[in-house]
């Protein structure tokens, strides 16, 4: 689990014991077992029910436990705010206090049990909510909010207190808890005079949501705010699932410090992806401060944040860095129409045209946009000729389109915009306006708004000046729900790229949970017999593990004498490789425990003696010496499994060999995933071209590499709770049609 403020109880040991005993593992969800059909082969859930949070956000009756009207008391201000909120949402509010007869003129109940009616929501203004949980459950309260701090965010003792609170809620019948260590953000004043798709907001730090909430001042609709706090019960995933089902929600914006449960988050993201609802998130923790050390290369390639990043990308969650990016990207994704298809071969019209009054401005923006991965197609000769009817011939209109300035001031401006937007190769028009130049900038702004009303394509404006004509900016541009307006080039490019990427993602998305394996493969029991809990396997044993899952290894024999090594070499076929094999050997090359290119019996005997001498000197215990087939021609890759504290087993593929930790060129995915994601992993590698053949080398067998990745994924799903780390390095990917061979392997058991 990532983030120190959120505590959770792991089910890994319980799941592992069930698998070891041949039982169907049982997943515990909110203290209750999930249905057997809802679990994958690892015992993790494949489905998460959407919590019914309607009565949380729009309760009919509310109890305020610890209500006060005494001046100077913190609870008094909170009670006053809750009274105003209850009036706005039409809820009946009941103050609860053991000694006060009334609060703000409303009769008080001495306890929850004495409330005049069953309430939907209880707001707990007490320092310790734990003693109230049973009472709330007995009174059939649906939801509770605990503001109190002093839990997991304070350290070990607070984490234990939070675990006790979470356990009490899990034992209850029907009660759900928000918090502890949360705030009043759910009870803010939301504007009800704004229309269009809304942004739903989720934050673990309430103050970090303020910039998004303030978008209402610019006419952007906000529908909900869920301040999840320490997530003892209700978590970010619950709210993503709920918001994804709400018809008024156009995008979900999140500020995340730590995720409570990786699988729950992925199931929620999957639900949003199935429904095409964008999720935009700031996730703190990009630095290496929390990275693990690991015995294998794979573990060193993927720190905790790399896994979070990959998991979000895998399920279409758009990760941004700044709160300003969160504002702008969520706004665009909430309000922009889905881009239409340009052609069957291009399911999303992703061509971007930059239109400006300045050649310099257009060129600058085009450079930044192209570098960020946006596609700026060259307009056709016919389209350029059409534009030159209104734009002087000496100006470039190929894309960027430079109008020189004057055409925006008269009748030519609207015709230019319509001509650009009429081009089927254009999906997005962006007009950077670096500074106001009235009156032409006022007319340009109005023309852009009018053009956006006439098209279903995305029209964006970058109003880069902090001063100038406020009518054009605040009233014309911000007053339009059809034009996306930005203040910086960078935020515009980030948001437009996210918009197009999300459209491509949802067009092709197929949920991996639908095809995830639910029962063990025939390889499982054979592989399990090779596991040694708490130990590192020898190379020979690790390769047996790979063989069990159908992954090809070289011809080889394990020998314990020089004479046996000579006989093995004749059977394997010269030339051969000889390697020391032992459970404690992690990196043989560095210790001199690998000999390659051996071509004679005398070399075999000398190599055997040298390998065993080095092992004795280094105090390394051997189970023998491997005499292996020598495989030379191919691309060296690494494929592996590591166990992430949050997501469980993860699969990594990257450039391998002795320089694997120097190159650090790897991609990671969280199972389950399909062939499309396995191929996408390869496309993320900086060295991807090596697989296509460079400097006369033949193309590598990419299909065989993908098959190995998928077989390793199946191993990760079935043995992931028993394998701490698996490292196949190098996996030699042979020329196309010849397969892939695992030349070395290392496995560490949990």
């Amino acid at each position: 689990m990532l983030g120190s403020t959120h505590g959770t109880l792991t089910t890994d040991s319980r799941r592992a014991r069930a698998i070891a005993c041949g039982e169907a593992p049982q997943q515990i969800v909110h203290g209750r077992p999930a249905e057997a059909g809802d679990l994958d082969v690892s015992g993790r859930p494949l489905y998460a029910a959407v919590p019914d949070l309607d009565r949380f956000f729009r309760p009919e009756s509310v109890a305020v436990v610890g209500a006060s009207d005494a001046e100077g008391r913190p609870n008094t201000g909170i009670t006053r705010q809750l009274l105003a909120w209850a009036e706005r949402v039409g809820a009946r509010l009941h103050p609860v206090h053991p000694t006060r007869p009334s609060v703000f003129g409303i009769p008080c109940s001495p306890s929850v049990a004495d409330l005049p009616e069953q309430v939907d929501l209880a707001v707990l203004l007490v320092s310790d909510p734990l003693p109230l949980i049973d009472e709330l459950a007995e009174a059939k309260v649906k939801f509770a909010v605990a503001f109190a701090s002093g839990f997991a965010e304070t350290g070990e003792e607070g984490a234990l207190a939070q675990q006790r609170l979470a356990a009490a809620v899990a034992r209850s019948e029907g009660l759900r808890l928000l918090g502890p260590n949360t705030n009043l953000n759910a009870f803010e004043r939301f504007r009800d005079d704004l229309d269009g798709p809304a942004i739903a907001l989720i934050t673990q730090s309430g103050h970090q949501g303020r910039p998004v909430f303030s978008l209402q001042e610019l006419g952007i609709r906000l529908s909900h705010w869920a301040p999840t706090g320490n997530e003892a019960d209700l978590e970010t995933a619950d709210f993503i699932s709920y918001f994804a089902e709400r018809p008024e929600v156009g995008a979900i914006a999140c500020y995340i410090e730590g995720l409570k449960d990786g699988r729950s988050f992925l199931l929620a993201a999957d639900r949003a992806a199935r429904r095409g609802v964008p999720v935009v998130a700031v996730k703190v923790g990009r630095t290496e401060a929390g990275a693990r050390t690991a015995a294998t290369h794979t573990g060193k390639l993927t720190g905790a944040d790399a896994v979070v990043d990959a998991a979000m990308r895998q399920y279409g969650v758009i990760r941004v860095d700044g709160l300003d990016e969160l504002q702008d990207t969520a706004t665009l994704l909430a309000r922009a129409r889905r881009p239409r298809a340009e052609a069957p071969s291009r399911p999303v019209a992703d061509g971007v045209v930059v239109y400006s009054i300045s050649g310099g401005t257009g060129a600058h923006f085009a450079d930044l946009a192209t570098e960020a991965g946006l596609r700026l197609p060259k307009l056709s000769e016919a389209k350029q000729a059409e534009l030159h009817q209104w734009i002087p011939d000496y100006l470039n209109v190929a894309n960027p389109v430079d109008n020189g300035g004057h055409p925006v001031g008269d009748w030519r401006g609207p015709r230019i915009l319509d001509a650009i937007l009429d081009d089927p190769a254009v999906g997005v028009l962006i007009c950077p306006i670096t500074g106001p130049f009235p009156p032409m900038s006022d007319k340009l702004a109005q023309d852009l708004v009018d053009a956006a009303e006439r098209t279903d394509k995305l029209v964006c404006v970058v109003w880069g000046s902090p001063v100038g004509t406020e009518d054009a900016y605040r009233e014309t541009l911000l007053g339009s729900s059809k034009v996306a307006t930005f203040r910086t080039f960078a935020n515009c490019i980030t948001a437009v790229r996210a918009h197009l990427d999300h459209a491509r993602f949802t067009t092709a998305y197929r949920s991996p949970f639908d095809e995830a394996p639910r029962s063990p493969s025939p390889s499982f029991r054979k592989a399990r017999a090779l596991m040694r809990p708490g130990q590192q396997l020898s190379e020979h044993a690790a390769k047996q593990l790979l063989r069990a899952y159908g992954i090809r290894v070289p011809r080889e024999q394990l020998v314990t004498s020089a004479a046996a090594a000579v006989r093995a070499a004749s059977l394997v076929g010269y030339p051969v490789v000889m390697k020391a094999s032992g459970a404690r050997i992690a990196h043989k090359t560095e210790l001199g425990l690998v000999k390659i290119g051996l071509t004679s019996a005398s070399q075999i005997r000398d190599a055997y003696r040298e390998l065993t001498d080095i092992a004795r000197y280094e105090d390394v215990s051997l189970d023998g010496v491997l005499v292996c087939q020598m495989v030379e021609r191919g691309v060296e890759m690494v494929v592996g499994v590591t166990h992430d504290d949050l997501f469980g087993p993860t699969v990594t593929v990257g450039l391998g060999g002795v320089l694997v930790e120097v190159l650090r060129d790897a991609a990671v995915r969280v199972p389950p995933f399909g062939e499309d994601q396995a191929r996408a992993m390869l496309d993320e590698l900086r060295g991807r071209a090596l697989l296509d053949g460079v400097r006369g080398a033949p193309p590598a067998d990419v299909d065989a590499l993908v098959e190995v990745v998928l077989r390793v994924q199946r191993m990760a799903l079935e043995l992931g709770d028993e394998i701490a780390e698996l490292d196949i390095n190098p996996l030699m990917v042979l020329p196309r049609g010849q397969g892939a061979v695992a030349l070395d392997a290392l496995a560490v058991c949990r």
Side-chain angles (χ1 to χ4, degrees), residues 217-513:
E217 298 178 17
L218 301 180
I220 310 300
R221 183 182 174 197
L222 268 288
S223 60
H224 306 80
W225 189 349
T228 60
N230 283 17
E231 301 190 350
D233 178 35
L234 286 169
E235 58 182 300
T236 296
D238 291 316
F239 290 100
I240 291 175
S241 293
Y242 174 75
F243 292 148
E245 300 280 354
R246 300 293 304 175
E248 72 272 26
V249 173
I252 302 168
C254 308
Y255 174 83
I256 301 171
E257 293 174 355
L259 295 173
K260 180 180 176 182
D261 178 81
R263 177 55 69 94
S264 295
F265 178 78
L266 297 184
L267 288 169
D270 171 70
R271 184 178 298 277
R274 290 175 190 254
R275 286 155 181 74
V277 178
V279 180
V280 188
V282 170
K283 168 65 180 71
V284 299
R286 284 194 181 276
T287 65
E288 292 293 323
R292 312 177 304 282
T293 58
T296 66
H297 298 295
T298 305
K300 294 172 184 174
L301 290 174
T302 55
D305 189 68
V307 177
V308 172
D309 200 57
M312 287 185 168
R313 188 166 56 252
Q314 191 173 334
Y315 286 87
V317 177
I318 298 134
R319 188 175 183 182
V320 296
D321 290 323
L323 296 177
D324 58 330
E325 291 177 306
L326 184 64
Q327 285 179 293
D328 285 348
T329 304
T331 297
L332 176 63
L333 287 165
R335 303 179 75 174
R337 288 181 285 255
R338 180 180 175 83
R340 64 185 182 184
E342 177 183 332
S345 60
R346 190 175 289 279
V348 172
D350 60 357
V352 176
V353 165
V354 179
Y355 173 63
S356 78
I357 64 160
S358 161
T361 300
H364 183 196
F365 193 95
D367 276 349
L368 296 174
T370 302
E371 187 176 5
L374 295 180
R375 188 176 70 91
L376 273 66
K378 182 179 179 181
L379 298 181
S380 67
E381 295 296 331
K383 180 59 65 176
Q384 292 184 54
E386 182 183 0
L387 293 173
H388 277 309
Q389 295 178 82
W390 310 296
I391 297 173
D393 290 342
Y394 61 83
L395 294 175
N396 177 31
V397 296
N399 192 15
V401 175
D402 173 14
N403 68 28
H406 293 293
V408 304
D410 55 36
W411 58 272
R412 291 172 292 178
R415 296 192 180 185
I416 294 170
L417 291 171
D418 287 343
I420 294 172
L421 290 168
D422 186 54
D423 192 323
V426 175
V428 182
L429 183 148
I430 302 176
C431 182
I433 304 173
T434 54
F437 50 105
M440 285 196 296
S441 56
D442 296 348
K443 185 175 186 308
L444 174 58
Q446 188 60 58
D447 286 348
L448 287 163
V449 169
D450 294 342
E453 293 287 344
R454 294 191 295 269
T455 183
D456 60 356
K457 297 181 180 181
L458 178 60
V459 177
C460 300
V461 176
V462 183
W463 188 270
S465 175
V467 296
T469 312
E470 286 304 304
D471 287 349
Y473 173 63
R474 182 167 291 276
E475 296 182 15
T476 305
L477 295 175
L478 294 185
S480 169
S481 63
K482 299 295 180 63
V483 173
T485 303
F486 303 87
R487 297 303 298 264
T488 68
F489 284 13
N491 280 15
C492 176
I493 290 168
T494 296
V496 170
R497 184 180 61 188
H499 170 64
L500 296 174
D501 285 349
H502 189 262
R504 283 188 288 263
F505 172 83
T506 53
T507 297
Y509 185 70
R510 301 294 181 271
S511 174
F513 294 114

Side-chain angles (χ1 to χ4, degrees), residues 695-720:
R695 293 187 176 273
D701 197 335
V702 172
D703 291 344
L705 173 56
V706 169
E707 181 65 23
V708 170
V709 172
L710 293 176
R711 288 178 183 272
V712 167
Q713 179 202 206
R714 185 62 184 253
M715 188 186 307
L717 282 168
E718 295 183 349
L719 296 172

Side-chain angles (χ1 to χ4, degrees), residues 487-700:
R487 297 303 298 264
T488 68
F489 284 13
N491 280 15
C492 176
I493 290 168
T494 296
V496 170
R497 184 180 61 188
H499 170 64
L500 296 174
D501 285 349
H502 189 262
R504 283 188 288 263
F505 172 83
T506 53
T507 297
Y509 185 70
R510 301 294 181 271
S511 174
F513 294 114
D514 291 343
E515 303 298 326
R518 287 169 167 79
S519 57
S521 68
S523 303
F524 171 67
R525 291 194 182 277
K526 187 186 300 183
R528 272 213 76 252
L530 298 167
M531 305 303 292
R532 298 292 181 267
Q535 296 182 25
Q536 177 179 303
L537 301 184
S538 68
E539 177 183 343
H540 181 62
K543 285 180 174 176
Q544 296 299 316
L545 197 63
L546 301 184
R547 279 196 180 101
Y549 278 89
I551 297 170
R552 181 178 163 192
V553 300
R555 296 189 304 273
E556 62 184 36
Q557 290 193 18
L558 181 69
V559 300
T560 56
S561 71
V566 172
R567 290 193 297 271
S570 64
L571 293 172
V572 168
Y574 289 104
V576 298
V577 176
M578 291 181 66
K579 296 186 279 186
S581 178
R584 292 175 55 195
I585 307 173
H587 304 304
K588 292 179 286 290
T589 304
E590 288 90 332
L591 296 175
L593 294 176
V594 179
K595 303 295 178 184
I596 65 173
L598 307 177
T599 58
S600 68
S602 62
Q603 288 182 338
I604 297 292
R605 284 189 288 269
D606 290 344
Y608 185 90
R609 184 172 56 253
E610 186 174 349
L611 291 173
T612 53
D613 286 347
I614 292 173
R616 279 192 295 271
Y617 177 79
E618 296 287 348
D619 193 26
V620 173
S621 177
L622 300 183
D623 59 6
V625 171
L626 282 172
V627 180
C628 311
Q629 170 194 9
M630 188 166 175
V631 181
E632 296 183 84
R633 193 180 184 195
V635 179
E636 292 186 334
M637 302 293 291
V638 58
V639 180
V641 176
T642 55
H643 192 94
D644 183 79
D645 291 341
L646 182 64
F647 293 100
T650 63
V651 176
T652 299
V653 64
L655 295 186
V658 295
L659 296 179
V660 60
E661 293 172 32
V662 176
L663 298 173
R664 299 185 67 83
D665 188 7
V668 63
R669 289 294 186 275
V670 178
F673 58 84
E675 181 181 335
D676 57 336
Q677 286 293 326
R679 293 186 182 276
M681 292 170 78
L682 304 183
D683 292 338
E684 291 174 16
L685 302 178
R686 297 188 302 275
R688 173 66 174 81
L690 291 173
L691 294 169
D692 298 325
V694 295
R695 293 187 176 273

